[in-house]
Amino acid sequence: MASAPKPTLDLLIAAPRGFCAGVDRAIRIVELAIEKYGAPVYVRHEIVHNKFVVDNLKAKGAIFVEELDQVPDGVPVVFSAHGVPKAVPAKAAERGLSYLDATCPLVSKVHRQAERLVASGRHIVFIGHAGHPEVIGTFGQVPEGSMTLVETVADVAGFVAPNPENLSFLTQTTLSVDDTAEVVAALQARFPAIQAPRGEDICYATSNRQAAVKAIAGACDAMLVLGAPNSSNSLRLVEVAERQGIPSKLIQRAADLDWDFLDGVGTLGITAGASAPEELVRELVDRLAERFEVREREVETTEETVSFKLPRGLEAAA
Ligand code: SF4
C-alpha cells in the first residue's frame, strides 16, 4: 500500500546566519595552535558558545577550562572570542605560558575605546548583560569604578552619575539593536552631554542576523533559531522574531526539535546564531524532511564579506 503523502512545509532560511568572521577566526586559531604545538592545547572558556564546535575541537585535542589556574605549566592556552580581562594575559605571561588571543577584533576595538575614554578622565556607562564573558572582559580593561553596567531603561533611571557632564557610553557587541536604541535614548534624555562611541559597537554580524530575521518574520508562522542557550546573539534572534509576533524557539540541534511546535505551521523561518555552524542548519532541514515535503528558500538581506587576520605566528601555519 502506498504511504500517505507528506504534508508540505515551506522553509524560509534567513541569510546572513551562522558563523561570523570573529567565530571563524577563533575556531581557526585553536585548530592552527593544535597543528603548530601539538595536542593538547588548552582553551580558557568555550572558544565560542556552541557545544557542537567545542566537541569537535575537543576531538582534535583541545581541552576547555574556565580559569587559567587549570592550565598546566608549559602548554599553550587560547583565550576565547569573547575577550578576557587584562589580568588574564598578564597572569599567563607571569607564569611563562605561551598564549594566543582569539578575542574578536570587534570586541578588542571596544576594549581599546574603554581604555582611551578612561585615560581621558571620562566615566563609562556600559550597556550589556551582567555576567556575560564579554562584559567581564571589557570591565577588566579599566580600573574598578570607572565603568557602570546598565542593562535596561530602568537601570538608566537608577544610575547615579559621578559627573553628568563627563560621561560616555559603550555597548556589548551582541545586543538587541532595538533594545539598545531604547536604552541609549533613555541615557541621552537623562544625560544630554553623554558621548556616544565613534562607531556602532553592536557588531555587523549581530545587526545583520537580526535584520535578516525581521525580513522573513512577516511571512513565517514560526521561527527556529539554532544556537546555544548561553549565546547572547542567538537569544537576541529569538527575541527579535517574537517581537515580530511569531512563536520562536532556540534549539541546539535538530534532535531537540519538538514536533508539536510545528502544529499548524505552513511556513517555518530558520536562522542560526553567529556561533552555530551551517552543518546544524542542514541537519535540521534533513530532519524536517523526514516528516514534511520541504520547500526551501533562502532570503538574503545582505552579503557579508568581513574577514579578520590571524594573530602573528599562526599566519604562516594557515
Ligand atoms: Fe565578533 Fe560580532 Fe562575531 Fe562576536 S558576533 S565574534 S563581536 S563578529
Side-chain angles (χ1 to χ4, degrees), residues 294-314:
V294 294
R295 293 190 301 212
E296 236 183 288
R297 189 159 70 86
E298 182 177 78
V299 180
E300 187 176 48
T301 43
T302 188
E303 198 188 338
E304 289 181 344
T305 53
V306 179
S307 68
F308 297 127
K309 278 194 195 149
L310 289 164
R312 256 184 241 127
L314 281 185

Side-chain angles (χ1 to χ4, degrees), residues 152-157 180-192 194:
T152 60
V153 170
D155 289 348
V156 173
T180 307
E182 282 176 23
V183 177
V184 168
L187 274 173
Q188 288 171 330
R190 257 203 85 193
F191 307 106
I194 196 165

